[in-house]
Each structure stands twice: as structure tokens, then as C-alpha cells.
């Protein structure tokens, strides 16, 4: 209920996910408003339920206060459904800070993980690059970035399908002498871990396909994310202006329209749906507040696939391998079997 255009967009996206992908969905929020939106669609034969939540977390609400004081908010109730086995994943286009806080408060962090991280897929010339953290933690210690790297490696391997993911640490140059105290200490720790760590990478490497996972703190990651979104939007507008500038340009566009459409699809954030929240005992997907129905639809599909692949269990195994001294602390890091395939949105 906390998205910019809720619940209209969320309902339309959920209906599309249920129809196109067969994902069972529970819509969490003001039941009267949600049912009114559902009535606008043909939902016959679709596995869609409505779960009432009386409170809403606004975009300007304090994340921690919202989670603790608004116990019947749609975002907290959605995570409670996962905890209780009524759903396997949460998709939210509401307050991202509150979504992250609710996930950690209700489902708890995986044992051995100090900070949950928000990961984001970026398009490249040869596929996709996963970047984390992109906004969850603006101040990090080296051990946090190492944990992000391990989680990102597992995600790339089992969700993105990369056999031996290349993991890089974002810095202001590839040379070992570059970086700051945080990156230098982190780099030394990463070289000791059982992952394919390739060293420092630069911002341009996010898009050139040379690396599969890029690790950074949430401050830098969020700047990279917003810069990329702004650049994609600006390029689109500049291309449109150039095309309209002359008759020959318009003829050229008609001849290459398929290529332009493919490019637009590649850089469209809606194709990726949302950003997975890594490090909690369950699955959470954080979407833009201004997401369109297509983004919600794809976020639900990705969240469903993530849950069914048991990625959290794989992360627990990799954490035990990477930090053997803490293996006992990480027992039970995999979320319990929810006994359902539903996604709460």
C-alpha cells in the first residue's frame, strides 16, 4: 500500500504475474481498496488472495518507527505471512528502508550476516552484472563487504546461472595502490575467501561484462544506481530528440526500429522488476516506488523463482565454507520450508 500509485499498480502487476507465470499471489493491504482494484480485472481462474492490513507505511515514515509502531502495516504483515508459512516471498514497492527493516525485524538476518544488502542487476554488453549494496548500508566495515561478496557470488551462481562468477570490488582504479582504507582492507580479506575474486574494478566495468558481481558500500552503490537510471533516461530523450530533428533521421529510425526497441528493453528497469534483499531468512524484493505494472509483474516472477531455487540454503553453505570458524553460528540460516509457493505483494 505504500507505493506511489498503490494499490492500482500492484494489483495490475500481480494479476499479470498470476496470469502469465502462474504464480499464486496474496495481495496485502486495505481489503476494500484492493478488492475494488481486482474488480477491474478478469481474475477468473487466477490464484489471487487478499489479506487485510489496516495500516500503511508512508515514503517519509521512519523505517524503524514504522516497523515497530505500525504492527498492522501492509509491509510488516506481508513479512509475517512468510514467517508463518503463508507465503515464500515478499514484493514491495513501498518505503525501501521500511521494507528492509521489516524483513530484518520479522524474519531476522541469516546467522553470521551482520548487514542485509540490497542487490541490483545492471545490463551489460554481454549479459548482467549484480551490484551490492545499492542503498541499504551507507557506512560499512570490511567484513560487511566480504559478506556481500559471498552472498552476491551465490546469487550469481544459482539465480543468474554463472558457473564461476567473477567478483570485483568497486574502486577508483584497478591498481592495488588505488582505493581507500575500506577497499584495501576488504580486498585483502577477499583474497582469502573461496570465491573467484578478481580484484578492484571501476565504474565502467559494471556495464562492459568483465565482471559478474560488483561489491561496494550502499552510499557508492546508490549513487551508481541513480546515475545509471538518469543516464538511461537522458539517452532515451536525446535519441528521441535527434530522431525528430530531421526527416532523414525519422526514416533511419523506421529502418532500425527493432534495434532501438531492443535497446530500450535492455535498459528498462521494469525488465528486472526489483532488487533482492540478501541476508535475511526469507525472500524480499524491493521495487521502485514509482514502479509500473510490468515491473511488479517481473518482480513477483523473480521473487518466486528465487524462493523455489532455495538460494538462502546455498548462501548458508557458502558462508560456512567462507567463515568456517563461525559455522556453528550459521546453523539454521536457511529459512524454514514455507509449505507454499505464494508471493505476498
Amino acid at each position: 500500500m505504500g507505493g506511489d500509485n498503490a494499490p492500482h499498480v500492484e494489483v495490475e502487476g500481480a494479476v499479470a504475474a498470476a496470469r502469465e507465470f502462474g504464480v499464486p499471489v496474496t495481495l496485502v493491504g486495505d481489503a476494500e481498496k484492493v478488492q475494488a482494484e481486482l474488480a477491474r480485472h478478469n481474475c477468473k481462474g487466477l490464484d489471487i488472495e487478499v489479506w487485510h492490513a489496516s495500516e500503511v507505511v508512508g515514503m517519509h515514515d521512519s523505517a524503524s518507527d514504522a516497523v515497530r509502531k505500525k504492527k498492522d502495516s501492509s509491509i510488516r504483515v506481508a513479512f509475517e505471512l512468510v514467517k508463518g508459512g503463508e507465503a515464500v516471498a515478499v514484493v514491495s514497492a513501498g518505503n525501501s528502508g521500511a521494507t528492509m527493516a521489516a524483513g530484518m525485524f520479522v524474519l531476522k538476518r541469516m546467522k553470521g550476516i551482520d548487514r542485509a544488502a540490497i542487490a541490483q542487476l545492471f545490463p551489460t554488453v554481454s549479459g548482467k552484472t549484480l551490484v551490492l549494496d545499492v542503498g541499504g548500508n551507507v557506512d560499512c566495515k570490511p567484513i560487511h563487504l566480504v559478506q556481500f561478496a559471498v552472498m552476491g557470488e551465490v546469487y550469481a551462481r544459482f539465480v543468474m546461472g554463472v558457473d564461476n562468477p567473477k567478483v570485483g570490488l568497486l574502486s577508483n582504479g584497478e591498481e592495488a595502490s588505488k582505493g581507500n582504507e575500506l577497499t584495501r582492507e576488504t580486498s585483502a580479506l577477499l583474497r582469502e575467501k573461496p570465491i573467484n575474486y578478481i580484484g578492484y574494478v571501476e565504474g565502467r566495468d559494471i556495464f562492459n561484462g568483465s565482471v559478474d558481481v560488483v561489491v561496494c558500500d550502499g552510499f557508492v552503490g546508490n549513487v551508481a544506481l541513480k546515475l545509471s537510471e538518469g543516464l538511461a533516461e537522458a539517452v532515451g530523450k536525446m535519441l528521441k530528440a535527434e530522431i525528430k530533428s530531421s526527416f532523414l533521421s525519422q526514416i533511419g529510425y523506421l529502418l532500425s526500429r527493432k534495434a532501438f526497441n531492443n535497446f530500450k528493453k535492455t535498459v528498462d528497469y521494469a525488465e528486472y522488476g526489483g532488487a533482492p534483499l540478501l541476508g535475511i531468512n526469507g525472500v524480499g524484493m524491493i521495487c521502485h516506488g514509482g514502479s509500473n505494472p510490468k515491473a511488479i509483474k517481473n518482480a513477483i516472477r523473480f521473487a518466486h523463482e528465487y524462493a523455489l531455487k532455495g538460494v538462502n540454503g546455498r548462501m548458508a553453505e557458502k558462508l560456512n565454507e567462507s567463515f568456517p570458524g563461525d559455522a556453528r553460528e550459521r546453523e539454521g540460516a536457511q529459512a524454514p520450508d514455507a509449505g507454499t509457493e505464494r508471493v505476498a505483494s
Side-chain angles (χ1 to χ4, degrees):
M1 296 297 296
D4 293 350
N5 301 296
H8 170 74
V9 167
E10 286 77 4
V11 171
E12 185 175 340
V15 170
R19 179 181 293 119
E20 296 180 33
F21 309 130
V23 179
V25 181
T26 298
L27 293 166
V28 184
D30 186 314
E32 184 177 350
K33 293 181 180 179
V34 173
Q35 292 286 10
E37 284 294 330
L38 276 174
R40 300 175 59 250
H41 302 274
N42 179 12
C43 300
K44 185 177 181 180
L46 301 182
D47 191 353
I48 298 177
E49 298 178 354
V50 177
W51 196 290
H52 182 66
S54 63
E55 296 178 297
V56 177
V57 175
M59 286 297 186
H60 299 292
D61 286 348
S62 164
S64 57
D65 287 348
V67 171
R68 289 181 171 84
K69 295 178 181 179
K70 294 187 176 181
K71 297 182 179 180
D72 199 43
S73 66
S74 54
I75 184 57
R76 176 163 175 175
V77 171
F79 277 109
E80 292 286 358
L81 293 182
V82 173
K83 181 180 180 180
E86 301 287 343
V88 295
V90 172
V91 172
S92 171
N95 184 313
S96 59
T99 301
M100 186 173 184
M104 293 189 292
F105 184 80
V106 176
L107 299 180
K108 311 302 181 185
R109 293 187 299 271
M110 295 177 66
K111 291 185 178 180
I113 290 296
D114 298 311
R115 303 276 186 89
I118 302 174
Q120 179 69 51
L121 287 171
F122 285 68
T124 75
V125 295
S126 60
K128 300 180 182 68
T129 294
L130 184 74
V131 179
L132 70 165
D133 182 20
V134 294
N137 308 277
V138 295
D139 295 307
C140 292
K141 297 179 180 179
I143 188 60
H144 302 149
L145 298 188
V146 174
Q147 292 169 0
F148 297 168
V150 173
M151 293 192 293
E153 194 268 358
V154 173
Y155 188 94
R157 188 182 295 272
F158 295 101
V159 178
M160 297 164 60
V162 183
D163 290 335
N164 187 28
K166 296 178 181 178
V167 179
L169 182 62
L170 191 60
S171 185
N172 61 333
E174 296 179 353
E175 301 85 358
S177 60
K178 297 286 187 174
N180 54 24
E181 184 177 352
L182 173 63
T183 59
R184 286 192 288 271
E185 290 184 22
T186 301
S187 186
L189 292 174
L190 285 172
R191 295 189 186 282
E192 300 174 356
K193 301 305 175 186
I195 60 176
N196 184 15
Y197 175 59
I198 63 172
Y200 287 162
V201 295
E202 298 177 296
R204 61 187 174 188
D205 295 316
I206 293 175
F207 300 99
N208 64 22
S210 64
V211 63
D212 302 299
V213 179
V214 173
V215 178
C216 56
D217 62 63
F219 181 89
V220 172
N222 192 259
V223 171
L225 174 63
K226 299 298 173 60
L227 175 62
S228 303
E229 291 173 346
L231 178 60
E233 182 179 354
V235 168
K237 290 180 179 179
M238 287 186 283
L239 282 173
K240 186 177 294 186
E242 286 296 324
I243 290 169
K244 292 181 178 180
S245 65
S246 70
F247 178 72
L248 287 178
S249 294
Q250 294 177 46
I251 295 297
Y253 168 72
L254 291 175
L255 294 175
S256 57
R257 182 164 50 186
K258 183 178 180 181
F260 277 106
N261 288 338
N262 288 340
F263 171 77
K264 182 179 179 181
K265 184 177 180 180
T266 299
V267 300
D268 184 6
Y269 78 89
E271 292 292 332
Y272 306 93
L277 179 58
L278 305 184
I280 61 172
N281 283 312
V283 179
M285 191 71 69
I286 297 176
C287 303
H288 283 278
S291 291
N292 58 29
K294 181 181 179 181
I296 298 296
K297 176 190 72 174
N298 285 325
I300 290 173
R301 174 167 66 92
F302 281 125
H304 190 243
E305 293 175 353
Y306 182 104
L308 296 188
K309 288 179 179 178
V311 180
N312 275 6
R314 303 286 189 176
M315 285 186 184
E317 295 172 3
K318 193 68 177 183
L319 287 166
N320 288 339
E321 181 184 358
S322 302
F323 306 97
D326 298 330
R328 189 173 298 177
E329 294 182 7
R330 293 188 176 85
E331 292 178 0
Q334 182 178 7
D337 183 6
T340 183
E341 294 184 4
R342 307 192 70 80
V343 174
S345 178

